[in-house]
Each structure stands twice: as C-alpha cells, then as structure tokens.
Amino acid sequence: MYTLTDVTKTYTQGKRTVVALDKVSLEIPDGQMVAIQGPTGGGKSTLLQMLGALDRPSTGTITFRSNDLSAAGESTLTGVRATDIGIVFQSFNLIPTLTAQENVEMALVPLGVGTAERATRARDALASVGLDERGGHLPSELSGGQQQRVAIARALVKRPAVLLADEPTGALDESTRDEIMDLLEKMWTELGLTLIVVTHDSAVARRAQRRLHIKNGHVKDVA
Amino acid sequence: MFGTYLRRELVGRRKQTVIIAIGMALAIALVILVQSFSAGVKNAQASVLESVYGVGTDITVSQTPEAPSGEPGGGGGAGRFDFGADDGTTTDDGSTAVSQSRLAAERGTETFDAAALDSVLTVNNVAAASATLALTNTTFDGELPDFSEVRSGGAPGDGAAPASGGADGAGGSSFDVNSFTVLGLDPSGDSVGPLSSVTLADGRGLDADDAESTVAILDSSYATSAELAVGDTLNIGGTDFEVVGTVTSTSADATTASNVYIPLGVAQSVAGLEGMVSTISVQAASSTAIAQVKSDIEAALPDATVSSQEDLASSVSGSLASASTLISQLGTWLSLAVLVAAFALAILFTISGVTRRTREFGTLKAIGWSNRRIIGQVAGESTVQALIGGVIGVVVGLGAILIINAAGITLGASATSSTGPGGVGSPGGAGPGGGFGGAAAAVAQTTDVVLNAPITATVIAIAAGIALIGGLLAGAFGGWRAARLRPAEALRSVS
Ligand SMILES: Nc1ncnc2c1ncn2[C@@H]1O[C@H](COP(=O)(O)OP(=O)(O)O)[C@@H](O)[C@H]1O
Ligand SMILES: [Mg+2]
C-alpha cells in the first residue's frame, strides 16, 4: 500500500528548474496492477523512482508499508529496495560480464542469502520465466526478450511485494512484447504482487486494473 | 558472489586490468631494483670497510694529521731520504749507487702515544681493543750522477738549474722507488682489528711469541706480485724479516688492509716510532653501546678522531661511492616518480571505469546493493589489479636483479686507513729534498667488490605493500565516485 501526499519532485539543471512531479496525491493498494501512461517527459519515470525508493521527493510524503520513504535515510531506502521492490528496466540493465544465473543471484546478495540457497533460488526464478537452460549464458548471448526475462527473474527472485517496470517492452519487437507482458501479468496473478508498469502501449494498459495518466507532472486516473 | 563478480569484471574488462597492472608492475620492479641495488652497494661498502678495519670493529680511534707542512720525519711528513756522505758506493765513473729502505708512518696518518689504548680499554662497554701502526716502507734503488762533474763539465751559462730535484732531474740519474704498506699489530690479538678479516693462505699467523721477532705476514696478492713466498726474506726499513705466512681477505674479491703485517713492537722500533700507534680498533660490547663508547672515548682522548662504522662508510670512495650516491639519489627519485605515475594511472583508470559502469552500479543500487558493498567491489577490483601488477613487478624486478648479479658488475672502492684528510692522491708529496716522497702516496686501500644485489623478504614485502596501497587508493577514489551515483541513474535509457 502506497500513500502519496502532495509529492513534488523538482530537478534543477543550472538555472533551469523542472517540475517533474507536481503535488501528486495518490493511493495504490497492495496487489493492484497499475498501468502508467503519458507523453515523454511527463514524469512517469520520476514517479516510478519515488515508488521504488530510488529517490526522495522534494516535498510531500510517500508512505510504503508504514515506511516514510520521503524522510527515510539512505540505509532504510536501500533496505526497502533490497527486500520489497523488484524493478525491471527498459534496457534490461543486466551486468554484461555475468551469466544469467549470476545476474539473478546479484539480487540475493544484499539479503545475505547463502551460496547454495542463492543458486537454487536463482535457478528456480529462471525456470519460472522459462529460461531453465540459459543460466550459463552471458547477456550478449541472449535475445532481447530472453534478457528481459532474466531481468524479470532478477526482480522476482527476492519475492518482493512490488514489481515496478519502466517501459519493459520498449526495447523489444512486436512479438516479444506480448510474451513479456503475458509473463508479467502471469507473475502478478501467481505471486499476488503489486505491479506498476509504465507503458506507451494502450493494448497493454487496457489489461491493467487501473490506468494512470501523467502529463507535466500531474497525475490523473483514467476511467 | 564478490569473488565471481570480481573475477568476471577483471576478465571482462581486460584492458583496464592490463593497464593498471602494467603501471604498477613497472613501478614495483623499479622500487625492487633500487632497493636491492642500494642494499648491494651497502653490503659492498661494508665488505670494503671490513677488509680495511676488520670484522667486528665498531669504532676506530686515530689522530687527525696536522697541516701537511709539518716537520719532515713527523707522522704525516713526506718520505724523505737523506743520503749522508758515506751512503752508497761511488763507482769509477763518479756516479754513486745507492740503495736504501726507509720505514715511516703512512702518509695521511698521525701517530700518537700507545697509552691511548689503555685509556680506551678503561671505557665502559669496550669489549676489545687493539692498536696498530700503519707504516709505509719505501725502497730507493738508484744511481746518483757525479754532481761535481756535471757542474764543471756543463756549460756554465746555460741557465739550467743545477740538480733540479726530482727523479728525472738533471744528469741522467736513474732511480727506482718501490713502496709497500706495513702494518704493525699486536701479534697476540686477532679478535678485533685488521687481521680479523683475513684467512691464512699459507704458512702460519702471528702469535704472542712473535712480539719481538722480525717475522712478517704478507697479503697473498702482494706476495705474488713481489715474488715472495713463505721462508723468503723481506727487507723492511733496513731490517730483514722472515716471511712466515700469507693471508687473503675473507670477503671475496677484496685485498687485505695492508701488504705486510709485522709485530707492533718490532714495527715501532724499526720505524723509530717507539710507543707510537696510528689506529686503535675498538669493539663495543653491543651495537646499542656504540654511541656511548664513542662519546666516552672522545671524552677520554680529546685530541683523537673517533669514528664509528657509519662515519667510516663515508670514507669509502671510488666507483662504489658514486654508485651509492647515484642509487640513493637518482634511483629514489626515479622510483618515486614512477610510483606516483602508476598510482595516478590506477586512480584515473578506476574512476573512468566506474563512470563507464554508471548504469551497472545504478542498477545494483536499485536492486538493493548498499554503497558499502559497491565500494568494496570497486576497491576489491582495483586492489586485485594492482596486486597482479605487484606479482609481475616482483618477477620482472627479481629477473633484472638476477641478470645484474650474473653480469658481475665490479665496483672499485678505496678507503683510506685513516679517516683524516690527506689520503689518496693528495698533492704536495714531492718534498724539496729529492722528491721521492710522492711514491709513498699509494697508501689507501683499494678494493674491487663485485656488486651483488640481495633479494630479501623485505623487498618483497615492500612490493606487496606498494601494490596494496596503490590498489586501495585507486579503490577509494573509484568507490567514492561510485557511492555518489544516484540509483535512479539505472532508469536512464541511454547508457
Ligand atoms: N536527473 C534529472 N535531471 C534533470 N531533469 C530531469 C532528471 N530526470 C528527469 N528530468 C526531467 O523531469 C521531467 C520528467 O522526466 P521523466 O520522469 O523521465 O519523464 P518520462 O519518464 O515520463 O519520459 C522531464 O522534463 C525530464 O527532463
Ligand atoms: Mg521515462
């Protein structure tokens, strides 16, 4: 459960100040699937950063499961990210020198999971995204869709409460997009996650329980 | 995971690893080389000193010669021959054949009363002390022309100064001047002093019974060049000595302190220096007592020059001293400069590596990696890179040392037997009375020492320490850069 109250995020670049989020107030209950849409530069990624405890708002408060993310210290935010938040990026963001299996294991390192359990859990997570056979491959040896599956496995291996995805299909071709969206939806149903997806694709957005539209830092619920 | 990630990064980003490692390797190889070299030169210096002053000598006591213009016949005076009317034999053609052997104090040394030895022995913490008398024997063989004839037969007005002194002076005189060094020493004591660093090559050594005997021990290389052997007779200062033994230096490639060794008492009487000595070798009870012993002796003998091994080291001159200076100055600066460059290289490459991996570290932060863990990773990588460089540097450095040692570079060194002025080649030897004094100048000990740079655990430890410091320093800078990255960087779609 997220509660955002008057969340404003401004960026200053030299003399210019950009208001990326403008007094956003919003509640997202646990287990909801939310699609976020809007024009480029509207503030979608910024909102996702606030929800993912990656950054603090300039003003306003965000509470997540009784944690005040806007006032928390760096170590609390790191802890929340390690335990509760899974995140998937548009450009996959796998570590190029590590194999698929190792990339997934990286998410368990901050949780202090032992070597053997880490390997098993990573293998299981890879199996759940349909990559049982690809654990030993480097990202460069995998297709875009496969890389994004590894990224999803990495996001889910910690069994988070929330899965955030910033344009997860933006770098993929038509056929793989549906595959990835199907996978995310399936995971959402199976794991009872809160799933928040930023997408340009209205077809994808329509599958969500709730659609938010962000423009110039203002958030609107789309009926 | 730390290890796996680290290994994958080092292999995956080989170029950075190679550059950092090579920079480190160069610096470390150079440091090792310079370190070993200076240790080798120090050892060489020590072995020169040992051959001159003897093993176990911590302190030497001597007296600084007064101005060289002192009275002839005095300690440091020029070797001067005085031919009386009865000297030599006048041949039919009027020229006079003379042969004279003269034993005098070694040039550049001042003799002083042997009572000083008793004073030294009363000083606290003196374990042993012995006195020596350094002498030079100069033999003159030659023919003097009949000066009266030259004078009467020569053109009176040709302005040539009559008998202008010098070996090649007027009137076809032909002189042969020969000199060797003679050291008078206590025949019973060999625990401290010049004879402690020699080994017997042939015959026997000196012992207490020889105190009054005209027996001599020869440096074996001098014996060879002078074509003398055990059983032969050697004329020293007009007295015949029996050669009873020959000795060689214990330190390889070094000659011993003197050409000839004779009992101190005999040396004093033949040289006409009764009760006089030129150097006292002192052994302190322990190395920590050296300073105290030195200052106590200085207090007891205010006129004496008291030198510790450290002071003596400065008396070593020649190519060894040049090598020592070169290494300690150029070597140190060069290795320092290369070290700084290697550190800077490691730091810059680590920082630029972190910058290139902005999205990677942002992603790790986004999935819950703490700053500490990321800094640890960066520092781990740079430290291993530097340590790889360290290993290569040690291998290259040791290889270079082995090559240099195998090359057998010889360094020449001379150490004057007295630390006072007026040592080797000091001018002014040619006295007015015939000018043979110059021949006595070859008194300093010249020794060739083969440079051997030792490989010590200290050197390896220094190399490892440098690599570690370099790696951690680069890691600190890179880690600091990584810690400042915002986790939100991970969301930027452009890498
Ligand atoms: N780190 C940043 N520094 C400065 N401006 C930023 C930064 N991140 C985002 N912005 C600005 O904030 C606004 C919202 O950006 P963003 O949330 O990325 O939009 P979207 O994801 O909807 O395209 C844009 O005007 C963008 O230029
Ligand atoms: Mg965006």
Side-chain angles (χ1 to χ4, degrees):
Chain A
M1 171 85 160
Y2 281 103
T3 308
L4 285 74
T5 314
D6 290 335
V7 170
T8 298
K9 180 68 182 179
T10 56
Y11 294 107
T12 4
Q13 262 186 331
K15 282 177 190 162
R16 227 164 48 94
T17 303
V18 179
V19 182
L21 292 177
D22 193 2
K23 295 203 168 188
V24 174
S25 294
L26 184 68
E27 273 199 9
I28 302 172
D30 281 344
Q32 199 167 51
M33 176 172 169
V34 182
I36 300 174
Q37 287 186 284
T40 302
K44 304 182 296 292
S45 294
T46 306
L47 179 60
L48 218 61
Q49 285 168 30
M50 300 299 133
L51 299 174
L54 301 181
D55 208 347
R56 276 176 289 251
S58 308
T59 59
T61 57
I62 303 175
T63 53
F64 169 69
R65 304 187 137 198
S66 78
N67 273 315
D68 184 354
L69 299 183
S70 45
E74 194 52 51
S75 62
T76 309
L77 294 185
T78 301
V80 169
R81 295 199 292 263
T83 335
D84 295 319
I85 314 257
I87 189 160
V88 175
F89 309 92
Q90 178 175 354
S91 39
F92 326 133
N93 291 16
L94 298 178
I95 291 167
T97 53
L98 298 181
T99 62
Q101 166 82 16
E102 287 158 357
N103 263 288
V104 175
E105 286 190 36
M106 292 301 262
L108 296 176
V109 170
L111 298 176
V113 178
T115 316
E117 191 194 338
R118 211 166 56 202
T120 320
R121 277 174 69 173
R123 228 180 343 267
D124 292 348
L126 279 173
S128 72
V129 297
L131 288 177
D132 328 48
E133 309 287 306
R134 301 287 169 155
H137 287 245
L138 290 174
S140 57
E141 298 162 350
L142 299 172
S143 72
Q146 287 172 325
Q147 288 187 56
Q148 196 60 301
R149 283 168 188 269
V150 174
I152 292 168
R154 177 176 67 184
L156 296 178
V157 72
K158 66 177 78 157
R159 297 175 194 132
V162 180
L163 179 60
L164 304 174
D166 193 356
E167 302 188 38
T169 59
L172 300 175
D173 57 40
E174 206 80 41
S175 56
T176 357
R177 274 180 204 175
D178 291 340
E179 257 176 58
I180 293 298
M181 276 320 299
D182 287 346
L183 179 62
L184 287 174
E185 219 179 321
K186 179 179 149 237
M187 289 299 172
W188 169 63
T189 341
E190 281 178 10
L191 303 173
L193 303 155
T194 304
L195 174 61
I196 301 168
V197 190
V198 172
T199 180
H200 281 300
D201 192 335
S202 294
V204 169
R206 267 192 288 278
R207 296 154 83 158
Q209 289 175 312
R210 181 182 180 190
R211 289 158 73 184
L212 295 175
H213 191 91
I214 309 185
K215 195 177 167 185
N216 296 329
H218 296 283
V219 178
K220 271 190 318 194
D221 261 285
V222 179
Chain B
M1 211 62 220
F2 172 78
T4 312
Y5 187 22
L6 196 150
R7 196 155 28 93
R8 301 263 190 216
E9 283 300 322
L10 294 191
V11 175
R13 299 176 201 272
R14 219 168 282 132
K15 207 170 110 196
Q16 179 178 342
T17 304
V18 166
I19 289 172
I20 292 180
I22 283 178
M24 242 1 143
L26 269 178
I28 284 167
L30 202 64
V31 167
I32 288 181
L33 213 57
V34 168
Q35 278 293 319
S36 286
F37 241 81
S38 9
V41 170
K42 257 196 210 103
N43 288 351
Q45 248 171 348
S47 89
V48 169
L49 285 175
E50 223 164 65
S51 72
V52 176
Y53 299 103
V55 183
T57 299
D58 298 315
I59 291 169
T60 60
V61 180
S62 58
Q63 197 130 21
T64 313
E66 278 142 36
S69 60
E71 295 172 43
R80 174 167 161 184
F81 292 92
D82 299 306
F83 297 112
D86 300 331
D87 288 330
T89 42
T90 307
T91 52
D92 295 344
D93 62 359
S95 68
T96 308
V98 286
S99 173
Q100 197 177 23
S101 182
R102 187 179 179 280
L103 186 61
E106 193 167 278
R107 271 177 45 74
T109 64
E110 180 83 4
T111 55
F112 52 94
D113 201 294
L117 179 61
D118 299 326
S119 311
V120 167
L121 284 167
T122 60
V123 166
N124 259 347
N125 288 324
V126 168
S130 75
T132 56
L133 178 60
L135 302 163
T136 303
N137 187 84
T138 310
T139 315
F140 169 87
D141 282 301
E143 260 177 32
L144 290 172
D146 184 347
F147 285 112
S148 55
E149 204 162 275
V150 171
R151 210 162 277 153
S152 58
D158 75 353
S164 55
D168 53 353
S173 45
S174 128
F175 308 141
D176 190 9
V177 179
N178 238 313
S179 83
F180 55 86
T181 54
V182 178
L183 195 66
L185 39 71
D186 179 359
S188 58
D190 58 0
S191 63
V192 62
L195 271 194
S196 59
S197 60
V198 300
T199 46
L200 200 61
D202 194 17
R204 65 176 182 88
L206 297 178
D207 57 41
D209 296 341
D210 294 321
E212 307 293 326
S213 321
T214 50
V215 290
I217 303 269
L218 265 53
D219 175 78
S220 70
S221 56
Y222 174 73
T224 308
S225 67
E227 293 171 1
L228 287 165
V230 172
D232 288 353
T233 301
L234 173 66
N235 186 291
I236 305 171
T239 306
D240 281 340
F241 282 74
E242 187 197 350
V243 177
V244 295
T246 61
V247 291
T248 54
S249 171
T250 42
S251 48
D253 307 299
T255 52
T256 63
S258 181
N259 298 140
V260 178
Y261 301 88
I262 58 176
L264 179 60
V266 180
Q268 287 167 334
S269 62
V270 173
L273 293 164
E274 308 291 349
M276 302 299 270
V277 295
S278 58
T279 304
I280 298 174
S281 304
V282 184
Q283 189 175 22
S286 71
S287 59
T288 49
I290 291 175
Q292 168 256 316
V293 169
K294 186 185 169 191
S295 66
D296 284 3
I297 294 174
E298 277 167 343
L301 303 168
D303 294 335
T305 303
V306 184
S307 316
S308 64
Q309 279 285 357
E310 231 165 86
D311 305 328
L312 299 178
S314 62
S315 72
V316 173
S317 57
S319 67
L320 183 56
S322 320
S324 168
T325 315
L326 187 77
I327 282 169
S328 62
Q329 290 176 1
L330 187 94
T332 306
W333 284 111
L334 188 67
S335 50
L336 210 65
V338 173
L339 207 61
V340 167
F343 278 20
L345 196 76
I347 290 169
L348 289 178
F349 269 80
T350 304
I351 289 179
S352 91
V354 168
T355 308
R356 251 184 293 117
R357 288 159 74 190
T358 295
R359 197 147 65 102
E360 177 174 326
F361 291 126
T363 303
L364 286 174
K365 288 187 181 191
I367 67 172
W369 278 49
S370 63
N371 271 336
R372 226 186 36 167
R373 196 177 291 278
I374 288 170
I375 293 169
Q377 194 71 43
V378 171
E381 288 174 19
S382 62
T383 303
V384 172
Q385 285 166 337
L387 287 177
I388 290 172
V391 171
I392 298 171
V394 168
V395 170
V396 169
L398 295 189
I401 289 171
L402 290 179
I403 290 170
I404 285 164
N405 284 348
I409 295 168
T410 306
L411 297 172
S414 28
T416 49
S417 294
S418 126
T419 51
V424 190
S426 90
F436 311 131
V443 299
Q445 194 59 29
T446 301
T447 304
D448 282 339
V449 181
V450 175
L451 181 73
N452 183 58
I455 294 165
T456 60
T458 321
V459 161
I460 311 278
I462 288 172
I466 288 170
L468 202 65
I469 290 169
L472 288 176
L473 206 64
F477 278 94
W480 167 77
R481 182 82 179 74
R484 278 164 37 107
L485 292 175
R486 294 168 56 242
E489 298 284 354
L491 287 172
R492 291 191 175 270
S493 46
V494 281
S495 52

